[in-house]
Amino acid sequence: MDTNTFELDALQNLLKQEENKPIQIARNQIEKLNVTSPSAQYHPLSSSEDNSNSDDSKDAAVKFISPLTVLPSAVPEASTFSNVTESVLTNDSAIDKDASEKKDISVFRTEKFGNSDDGSCESNNRCKTECDCARCSISGPCCGDPGQSTLSCGEPCSWKCKFKHLKFSRKTYVYAFAGCLTIVILLAAVLITLAVLKKKEHNRYDARRLMDDEARIFRPNAWECVENLCQKLSRPTSKRIYVSHSRCVLQCMGPQLWPYPIGYTLFSKNLVAMSILKLEYKFQSLPSENVHRHLAEAFKLFIGDLARLEKIGREMKNGTCDLPVKKMNIIIDIETDPDPRLRLNTDEAYTISVNSNFDFITIHLSSSSFCGARHGLETLNQMILLDQLTGYLITLSHIIVKDAPSHKYRGLMIDTGRNYIPMPDLMKTIDTMAACKLNTFHWRISDVTSFPLLLPKLKELFEFGAYDRALVYTRADVKALVTRAKVRGIRVLIEVAAPGPVGRPWFWHSEATCPAKNANYTCDNLLCLRLNMRESIFDILQLIYAEIIALTEVDDIFHLSDGVFTMINCFSLIEDRDGFLDKALNRLRMANKGFMPKLPIVWYTKHLTRTLEAKTWEHLGVQLYKWNPDSGDYLGTFRVIHSNKWDLSCEMRKQRCYKYRTWQGMYSWTSWRNIDVFTIEGGEAVLWTDFVDSGNLDYHLWPRAAAVAERLWSDIIANTTPNPEVYVRLDYHRWRMLLRGFKMQPIWPVWCTLNPGTCLKKLQ
């Protein structure tokens, strides 16, 4: 095959692969090739330097690097044509021997037409690499680039041109793909989030619609929270409904504690259910075995109250519980005080923390003393309620309470000399006092009318003083009451009326006299008998003091009486007691094994205004009762216990109840803070039993004594007047006491308990 034939075949194959080139142009080039092929000369493959240095004639000519000769007009683009011919001319027969050994692929290279003298397009180096056109021509389009000529060959390439000829590496394509994929993922995430939010909004709408539908069904035992008060549901409502009163109390109003803590408190809003059947407890860091015994008894009482609630709950269980019943783990820690008795320096502060997790609810109670731990158990008892729907015990999931009393002496006095109060009623009174955190039971055991305490060494007082042999308190009775009180963090303070009037119980003694005598040398009235300041009288008093200290186990505080309480008018009571305080203190020291109690107490009378008596009683305790602030009496040297406005008895006139004091008045009395005294030890509510016995004892005591209890415990933070929140808490405390079996007078109708907001509006 000759050279021309090979070139013709190669060009035909090239034309078949170039789909975008006009067929007519190809045919014209073939015809020209047939005409010029005889005179064409073959030039071997040479280097680019040889081609650039050749000086042929000025006529236009084409120099071939391959054996194929074509015209420049037949080649639309050098780069395109070169790429195409790479695949066509890879033929061993058309390449010289050296090219065949090196396996190089021949490419076309052409030189620009034109005269080098015209200054337009002289050589390849005239066309800069950054030029828009690949080749230069004298006129017309430049290398197939319309609108460009040789005049623009030297201008810098525009951004469009650079982007057009820009070549990217494989890494660039990978980065571009990753960026696009990231954008797609972000867009998908945004769309999914929008879809989820739309679905949640739809679910909330369904929930609201469901709530509205349920509200249309009246639920008579449901509750709603209105202005932080639990209101019994009386009509359909779209508000949140509580299925039991206890749930509403905990989540709407918070635990209704009485007295309210004065320290830091934190209550969550989430409920947890528990049962004493899943109870675990641990006593740790107990300072003595005696403390351990008392704590075990107090904890038994606490568990007994919860068991009583669960017993009531079992009768109302409906078989379903929407709250998981968790195990209850109680840890009690008493740090320092090895004495379980209540002392004047006993620290009654406590801390409670409640935390719950998936399976357990952990309760940690810590205090420095047993009495503080017992108060903490009472607070914990008030925070655990009975769920009326399920019958289980419920409380809040997270609680913190740090509490301590405002005053150390918080007492209640009951007179059992005027009317006998049976021992079971006194026991129940001790229990109710513990529920209100009162810590001193002042037992005025005798009066001018009777002496019901049976002392084996002084049987004459019982024989002459008791109303009946059945109406007495034995040593065993007193010890039982003291033991019950100690477990509840209460001291028993027994007072024996002396030196007068002492009345009928002392009629047997020769040193019991009266100022007025009739012709038979007998007193006109036995109730005005008083004791002479003789050693024989103080011998008997010392024996009584020793018996009281032994029975009550209270040796740091003692009530010496020195009162002038009478049922009739008696004369010269103050004048007939000169020297009593000094001698009584001396005999008290002897009865207490040579130690003077830290706080001896007497009722305040005009007797203490005398110079000698005032000096004897300096920095000792006085109890103010019916004291006139305008009297001008100086109290700056006394340690005071206030009772002036906390008399639970009826104000008597002509043996009739003239005035009944309300709990609101007792709660609001705060002027005692402003009295100039040495120290304020605390306060005490007093009850004289002229018209009181076991039938109405609780009626007279509660809730008025409970109001005094909160004033003495929470006085630092308590309001000066009972605001609506106090009404609600006291009412709830009353219902809690009723559930424990204690009787308490109502503070308003049951309607107000179910609808407190309606009744509280009347107070404003």
Side-chain angles (χ1 to χ4, degrees):
M1 182 182 296
D2 56 2
T3 303
N4 292 336
T5 304
F6 170 78
E7 293 176 351
L8 182 61
D9 293 340
L11 186 59
Q12 289 176 349
N13 292 333
L14 176 64
L15 292 175
K16 290 180 182 181
Q17 295 181 9
E18 289 290 315
E19 295 178 357
N20 297 327
K21 305 300 179 179
I23 299 176
Q24 185 63 35
I25 296 175
R27 289 178 178 177
N28 294 335
Q29 297 301 324
I30 293 173
E31 292 177 359
K32 292 179 181 180
L33 182 62
N34 291 333
V35 175
T36 59
S37 59
S39 61
Q41 295 182 2
Y42 174 74
H43 298 275
L45 186 62
S46 61
S47 63
S48 60
E49 295 178 356
D50 296 336
N51 291 335
S52 62
N53 296 329
S54 61
D55 296 325
D56 294 341
S57 64
K58 295 182 180 180
D59 297 334
V62 179
K63 294 184 179 181
F64 297 96
I65 299 197
S66 70
L68 180 62
T69 303
V70 293
L71 295 176
S73 61
V75 184
E77 178 102 11
S79 60
T80 303
F81 189 71
S82 175
N83 293 334
V84 174
T85 55
E86 283 180 3
S87 61
V88 176
L89 299 181
T90 309
N91 193 332
D92 294 340
S93 60
I95 304 174
D96 59 2
K97 183 177 182 180
D98 296 335
S100 174
E101 292 177 355
K102 297 180 181 180
K103 297 183 180 180
D104 293 336
I105 301 175
S106 300
V107 294
F108 289 94
R109 300 186 63 177
T110 60
E111 292 183 348
K112 299 179 182 179
F113 287 92
N115 197 345
S116 59
D117 296 333
D118 60 3
S120 299
C121 207
E122 295 179 356
S123 62
N124 278 345
N125 56 8
R126 176 69 178 273
C127 292
K128 306 298 181 182
T129 57
E130 65 272 9
C131 186
D132 282 355
C133 49
R135 299 174 60 182
C136 297
S137 60
I138 299 175
S139 62
C142 179
C143 306
D145 198 4
Q148 299 291 335
S149 64
T150 56
L151 298 177
S152 62
C153 283
E155 298 178 358
C157 183
S158 65
W159 68 271
K160 293 182 180 180
C161 170
K162 291 180 181 180
F163 185 78
K164 178 178 179 181
H165 296 285
L166 187 63
K167 294 183 179 180
F168 301 100
S169 64
R170 179 175 296 180
K171 180 184 282 189
T172 304
Y173 286 110
V174 172
Y175 289 159
F177 176 76
C180 294
L181 183 61
T182 303
I183 294 174
V184 171
I185 293 175
L186 291 176
L187 290 176
V190 171
L191 294 176
I192 293 174
T193 303
L194 292 176
V196 171
L197 292 177
K198 185 176 181 181
K199 185 171 183 60
K200 286 185 177 180
E201 182 65 25
H202 182 70
N203 292 338
R204 282 195 291 267
Y205 172 77
D206 292 342
R208 289 194 298 267
R209 185 178 63 182
L210 180 61
M211 182 182 296
D212 294 339
D213 294 341
E214 291 180 352
R216 296 187 183 97
I217 302 175
F218 177 67
R219 306 180 71 174
N221 294 322
W223 299 77
E224 61 178 336
C225 185
V226 180
E227 297 180 356
N228 295 327
L229 295 173
C230 288
Q231 194 93 358
K232 190 172 179 62
L233 192 64
S234 59
R235 60 186 181 278
T237 179
S238 60
K239 297 180 181 179
R240 179 180 179 181
I241 295 176
Y242 299 90
V243 294
S244 70
H245 185 242
S246 297
R247 297 191 181 198
C248 181
V249 167
L250 290 175
Q251 294 185 298
C252 175
M253 302 189 300
Q256 300 299 289
L257 303 180
W258 192 275
Y260 199 80
I262 67 173
Y264 175 75
T265 58
L266 174 66
F267 304 111
S268 67
K269 293 295 184 180
N270 300 323
L271 297 176
V272 291
M274 65 187 73
S275 173
I276 61 173
L277 300 178
K278 297 183 177 181
L279 171 65
E280 297 179 0
Y281 67 92
K282 180 182 179 181
F283 302 156
Q284 63 182 13
S285 301
L286 300 182
S288 67
E289 183 62 28
N290 199 12
V291 169
H292 184 273
R293 287 196 302 268
H294 282 75
L295 181 59
E297 292 295 326
F299 189 76
K300 187 185 299 183
L301 295 175
F302 167 73
I303 296 300
D305 291 336
L306 298 185
R308 189 181 299 110
L309 290 179
E310 283 202 339
K311 183 179 179 181
I312 299 173
R314 283 194 293 269
E315 300 175 358
M316 61 178 63
K317 283 184 180 179
N318 56 12
T320 60
C321 183
D322 56 338
L323 298 173
V325 181
K326 299 185 177 183
K327 296 180 181 179
M328 183 167 44
N329 186 14
I330 301 178
I331 302 173
I332 302 179
D333 183 10
I334 298 178
E335 300 172 355
T336 57
D337 194 348
D339 193 347
R341 297 178 299 170
L342 179 67
R343 316 287 288 177
L344 283 175
N345 59 351
T346 298
D347 185 5
E348 299 178 82
Y350 65 90
T351 301
I352 297 176
S353 63
V354 178
N355 295 287
S356 61
N357 52 25
F358 183 75
D359 294 324
F360 278 88
I361 175 169
T362 302
I363 302 172
H364 186 225
L365 168 60
S366 62
S367 177
S368 299
S369 65
F370 160 74
C371 294
R374 199 231 60 93
H375 296 326
L377 288 175
E378 176 59 38
T379 300
L380 184 60
N381 196 342
Q382 296 183 11
M383 293 190 296
I384 300 176
L385 309 183
L386 174 64
D387 186 13
Q388 293 84 2
L389 176 68
T390 63
Y392 287 102
L393 302 177
I394 59 173
T395 189
L396 298 175
S397 59
H398 296 281
I399 298 174
I400 297 177
V401 176
K402 295 182 179 180
D403 194 14
S406 299
H407 301 284
K408 292 184 176 182
Y409 188 103
R410 305 178 305 279
L412 171 65
M413 189 212 82
I414 296 181
D415 157 47
T416 60
R418 300 184 183 183
N419 267 329
Y420 178 82
I421 305 297
M423 187 58 63
D425 294 292
L426 296 180
M427 294 283 192
K428 187 177 294 185
T429 300
I430 293 293
D431 296 344
T432 316
M433 288 177 60
C436 300
K437 297 188 178 71
L438 292 170
N439 67 354
T440 302
F441 176 57
H442 179 184
W443 189 0
R444 184 175 166 89
I445 204 167
S446 70
D447 200 80
V448 295
T449 56
S450 72
F451 194 104
L453 178 60
L454 176 57
L455 299 176
K457 296 180 181 180
L458 295 170
K459 292 184 179 180
E460 294 84 359
L461 289 174
F462 160 71
E463 294 291 344
F464 284 85
Y467 289 129
D468 187 85
R469 288 185 176 273
L471 304 179
V472 296
Y473 304 109
T474 64
R475 288 173 56 91
D477 293 336
V478 176
K479 286 185 176 181
L481 184 69
V482 169
T483 301
R484 192 181 191 93
K486 284 175 59 179
V487 173
R488 290 158 178 79
I490 298 174
R491 67 164 69 94
V492 177
L493 197 63
I494 296 180
E495 175 196 351
V496 173
V502 293
R504 180 174 176 269
W506 289 86
F507 179 73
W508 58 275
H509 202 284
S510 60
E511 297 298 336
T513 62
C514 58
K517 296 183 180 180
N518 56 18
N520 297 327
Y521 293 96
T522 60
C523 289
D524 291 334
N525 198 314
L526 291 177
L527 298 182
C528 289
L529 283 176
R530 76 284 313 272
L531 301 176
N532 291 329
M533 302 297 104
R534 302 294 177 85
E535 291 300 322
S536 59
I537 294 295
F538 285 101
D539 290 340
I540 296 175
L541 291 179
Q542 179 181 336
L543 185 59
I544 294 175
Y545 297 161
E547 284 284 342
I548 291 175
I549 293 174
L551 289 174
T552 61
E553 301 180 18
V554 177
D555 56 5
D556 62 335
I557 182 172
F558 196 92
H559 206 298
L560 289 171
S561 187
D562 195 33
V564 291
F565 306 108
T566 64
M567 297 183 66
I568 61 173
N569 293 328
C570 297
F571 301 98
S572 304
L573 290 175
I574 299 298
E575 292 78 4
D576 290 344
R577 65 183 63 216
D578 288 342
F580 171 76
L581 294 181
D582 184 58
K583 294 180 180 180
L585 283 178
N586 186 41
R587 293 303 181 117
L588 177 60
R589 182 185 296 108
M590 296 171 63
N592 196 28
K593 301 178 181 180
F595 297 96
M596 177 63 69
K598 295 181 179 179
L599 184 63
I601 304 172
V602 295
W603 296 96
Y604 181 80
T605 63
K606 288 291 184 178
H607 189 215
L608 291 173
T609 60
R610 298 188 176 188
T611 305
L612 180 61
E613 306 297 341
K615 186 176 181 181
T616 300
W617 212 252
E618 187 176 7
H619 297 169
L620 298 182
V622 297
Q623 185 169 356
L624 295 183
Y625 176 74
K626 292 186 177 180
W627 176 73
N628 185 8
D630 299 328
S631 62
D633 296 344
Y634 180 66
L635 303 177
T637 60
F638 301 130
R639 299 162 65 181
V640 174
I641 297 173
H642 290 280
S643 299
N644 210 34
K645 298 292 184 180
W646 290 331
D647 189 355
L648 304 176
S649 316
C650 264
E651 186 175 340
M652 300 292 297
R653 288 190 182 180
K654 297 181 180 180
Q655 296 300 315
R656 296 180 182 179
C657 182
Y658 173 75
K659 183 179 181 181
Y660 183 85
R661 302 171 181 86
T662 64
W663 72 266
Q664 292 92 337
M666 295 185 178
Y667 191 92
S668 303
W669 184 52
T670 58
S671 60
W672 52 274
R673 304 172 182 168
N674 304 323
I675 300 175
D676 184 15
V677 298
F678 182 72
T679 59
I680 297 178
E681 297 296 325
E684 182 177 278
V686 298
L687 176 64
W688 303 98
T689 58
D690 298 76
F691 297 97
V692 178
D693 62 3
S694 61
N696 61 352
L697 175 64
D698 294 334
Y699 171 84
H700 279 80
L701 289 177
W702 317 107
R704 293 184 297 165
V708 177
E710 172 152 303
R711 173 56 59 192
L712 293 172
W713 181 284
S714 311
D715 184 56
I716 295 177
I717 65 167
N719 295 320
T720 56
T721 57
N723 58 9
E725 182 263 342
V726 173
Y727 272 83
V728 175
R729 281 195 300 109
L730 183 57
D731 178 65
Y732 194 88
H733 184 62
R734 174 186 177 266
W735 286 103
R736 181 165 50 225
M737 294 298 98
L738 294 178
L739 201 59
R740 294 190 191 180
F742 308 142
K743 296 179 181 179
M744 186 174 288
Q745 183 182 359
I747 66 171
W748 55 18
V750 179
W751 166 262
C752 296
T753 300
L754 304 179
N755 304 275
T758 304
C759 296
L760 291 175
K761 291 180 181 179
K762 299 180 180 180
L763 302 177
Q764 300 176 356

